[in-house]
Amino acid sequence: MNAPPITTTSAEDMAAPSRFDFPTALKDSAITALIALGLSIPILAYKTDQNGADLFLTPRWGLVAIFCAIIFGLRLLQHAFMATRAARKALPDPHQATELVHAEPSAFQHISKFAIPFFLGAALSFPFLVYLIQGGLNESRYWVDLGILILTYVMLGWGLNIVVGLAGLLDLGYVAFYAVGAYSYALLSTTFGLSFWICLPLAGILAAFWGMILGFPVLRLRGDYLAIVTLAFGEIVRLVLINWTDLTNGGAGISSIPRATFFGLPFTAGEGGFASTFGLEFNGMHRMIFLYYLILVLALITNFVTMRLRRLPIGRAWEALREDEIACRSLGINTTNTKLTAFAIGAMFGGFAGSFFAVRQGFVSPESFNFLESAIILAIVVMGGMGSQIGVAIAAIVLVGGPEMLRNLNFLQSIFGAGFDPNEYRLLLFGMGMVAMMVWRPRGLISEREPSVILKERKAISGSLVKEGHG
């Protein structure tokens, strides 16, 4: 038997399998621009303006041309980038066989030592920094209110991260627990006169109870089927809030919800209020700053409890369930209790956030708890990196604070016209950002994490070894 000859190839003989074919890229970019033109005609080409009882269509073909040109350029850049990356991967690494492999902490684990204190310090000093920059309490109201909104979504993202990121259970109805917490405080405070500090734990307990109610029917479901059932649960809760008018007042909502007090001191101008007790001049911003630090404390408690539970047996059971449910059962782990605890604890923090939402707004209605809210919270978890607490916080800042920044981009009107409103395109930018994340960062902004259990020394975990894609 004759063995086939052994041939060797050098690095010079291995050429890149693909090069930047400019004519092909130009043709594909032109086709993409034409598709964008067809899609933009019913959306961007005309704008409806109303003058009394008459409705007029204002053409905006200049905006359509700019949009198609941007799409053409981005598609061309994508072809160039993909060709460059393919050529780079085709060439072998000269250090591949000679480099030593070290299980040392990654760059993210080094940076996180400084990033966590930095973010915490920035969050604690944010009202003071805004006060110094804006030059007054009343002038800083918008930014403090934006900080409250971002921290609310950070807390919701950390709560959903328990279910999706740690336990691997896809939940599209998380806003239902948010609604349960909000309506629990609204009903208990307006009907029985209970204070916020009593209603807060009750709202969390009721939301956890409904989390277990949801968990029981979906114990045997996984993947897409689980997502459909949780989506249906969220819609059922919203429809119940609309139609049970005797309890929830239907679509009109519940108003005149009592405000939170500083441990019994109301934020009023009279005697016995917060300002007079501490000898301060009354200002309505005192309540806003109190709410900011209240939601900051609630978010930090959520993070602390999550990180502590992650190191306990129940947290390791969640991660085992996420990686492989069959292997999890073979190890003797009770998957029923594991799923129920994940749903219940995640729902509890959603209930806490809903209670805070009700006391901040002073009014709740079913329209505040639609599917879009669940989609935004889930997008925060996926974009930040499932299982990454820091990543969820960064994603909440980007997805919630970013659209608010569009309101301040008035200089774009000089480019796109006087009637251009950047805020109208926030959902379009949101979708484009998520598509870009799935293409270039499919594992999220932070695709690395520290191990839950450390033996002797801290080592990095390869992203290819875990299902969630973190290292």
Side-chain angles (χ1 to χ4, degrees):
M1 181 181 295
N2 295 326
I6 300 175
T7 59
T8 59
T9 56
S10 61
E12 289 77 12
D13 297 332
M14 296 179 63
S18 60
R19 295 180 179 180
F20 181 50
D21 189 354
F22 183 73
T24 303
L26 197 65
K27 179 180 178 181
D28 183 73
S29 301
I31 294 175
T32 305
L34 289 176
I35 295 174
L37 174 63
L39 293 175
S40 60
I41 287 176
I43 302 175
L44 298 178
Y46 294 95
K47 180 183 178 182
T48 57
D49 294 322
Q50 188 171 3
N51 185 7
D54 299 328
L55 191 66
F56 301 94
L57 292 178
T58 304
R60 298 186 298 180
W61 293 106
L63 180 61
V64 173
I66 294 174
F67 175 73
C68 293
I70 293 174
I71 295 297
F72 177 84
L74 291 177
R75 185 64 174 176
L76 197 63
L77 288 176
Q78 183 187 8
H79 276 282
F81 173 77
M82 297 300 291
T84 304
R85 187 172 66 172
R88 190 186 302 115
K89 288 183 177 181
L91 296 177
D93 188 358
H95 304 288
Q96 185 176 4
T98 58
E99 259 187 4
L100 295 177
V101 179
H102 297 283
E104 297 178 353
S106 62
F108 165 73
Q109 292 172 343
H110 288 296
I111 295 175
S112 63
K113 296 179 181 178
F114 306 98
I116 294 176
F118 172 77
F119 280 115
L120 183 59
L124 290 173
S125 59
F126 178 75
F128 299 101
L129 294 176
V130 172
Y131 170 78
L132 294 176
I133 295 173
Q134 298 294 324
L137 285 176
N138 294 326
E139 290 78 7
S140 60
R141 180 183 179 89
Y142 169 77
W143 297 102
V144 173
D145 194 61
L146 178 59
I148 293 173
L149 181 64
I150 291 175
L151 287 175
T152 304
Y153 278 93
V154 168
M155 183 177 179
L156 289 169
W158 281 343
L160 183 60
N161 201 24
I162 297 176
V163 183
V164 178
L166 297 183
L169 304 172
L170 185 56
D171 188 356
L172 293 179
Y174 191 72
V175 72
F177 312 120
Y178 189 38
V180 168
Y183 271 87
S184 297
Y185 171 69
L187 293 173
L188 291 175
S189 60
T190 56
T191 305
F192 301 101
L194 299 179
S195 67
F196 171 76
W197 303 106
I198 297 177
C199 294
L200 180 65
L202 292 178
I205 292 172
L206 291 173
F209 171 75
W210 281 103
M212 296 180 64
I213 294 296
L214 171 64
F216 275 111
V218 301
L219 290 177
R220 298 181 179 272
L221 300 179
R222 65 181 70 177
D224 298 338
Y225 299 100
L226 175 62
I228 293 172
V229 172
T230 54
L231 172 62
F233 178 77
E235 287 300 302
I236 289 172
V237 170
R238 187 179 67 86
L239 292 176
V240 168
L241 295 177
I242 293 176
N243 293 286
W244 198 354
T245 55
D246 294 337
L247 180 66
T248 65
N249 202 24
I254 301 175
S255 59
S256 302
I257 300 175
R259 297 180 175 181
T261 61
F262 184 76
F263 300 101
L265 298 177
F267 292 92
T268 55
E271 292 293 331
F274 176 83
S276 61
T277 302
F278 290 95
L280 302 174
E281 183 180 357
F282 173 75
N283 194 309
M285 279 299 297
H286 293 162
R287 174 178 171 269
M288 299 301 299
I289 294 176
F290 167 72
L291 291 177
Y292 174 85
Y293 283 107
L294 175 60
I295 188 59
L296 177 61
V297 170
L298 291 175
L300 292 177
I301 291 175
T302 304
N303 179 59
F304 175 77
V305 172
T306 302
M307 298 305 295
R308 294 294 297 176
L309 288 175
R310 185 175 179 177
R311 291 173 173 84
L312 293 177
I314 182 61
R316 297 198 292 273
W318 289 339
E319 293 184 333
L321 178 67
R322 177 195 64 214
E323 299 301 328
D324 194 327
E325 184 174 349
I326 297 176
C328 181
R329 291 182 178 180
S330 66
L331 293 174
I333 298 175
N334 191 329
T335 56
T336 299
N337 293 342
T338 304
K339 291 182 180 181
L340 290 180
T341 52
F343 274 114
I345 296 177
M348 179 183 68
F349 290 120
F352 289 156
S355 179
F356 174 82
F357 172 80
V359 78
R360 169 181 171 253
Q361 296 291 113
F363 170 78
V364 292
S365 67
E367 298 302 322
S368 300
F369 310 103
N370 51 25
F371 170 70
L372 182 60
E373 294 295 320
S374 286
I376 293 175
I377 301 170
L378 182 62
I380 288 173
V381 175
V382 175
M383 180 178 178
M386 292 187 293
S388 173
Q389 299 292 89
I390 299 178
V392 169
I394 297 175
I397 296 174
V398 173
L399 292 182
V400 180
E404 289 296 324
M405 296 296 102
L406 294 176
R407 303 179 188 274
N408 301 317
L409 301 180
N410 296 325
F411 67 91
L412 293 177
Q413 294 181 355
S414 60
I415 302 176
F416 297 101
F420 180 76
D421 185 8
N423 194 46
E424 294 180 355
Y425 302 94
R426 61 186 185 277
L427 291 180
L428 177 63
L429 296 176
F430 173 79
M432 293 173 61
M434 293 304 299
V435 171
M437 281 294 303
M438 294 300 103
V439 173
W440 285 293
R441 299 286 297 181
R443 296 173 181 172
L445 292 174
I446 306 297
S447 59
E448 297 178 351
R449 64 169 176 82
E450 294 184 357
S452 302
V453 180
I454 300 170
L455 182 62
K456 294 184 180 180
E457 61 178 329
R458 188 184 303 273
K459 298 181 179 180
I461 303 176
S462 172
S464 61
L465 297 179
V466 289
K467 184 179 179 180
E468 63 172 356
H470 296 155

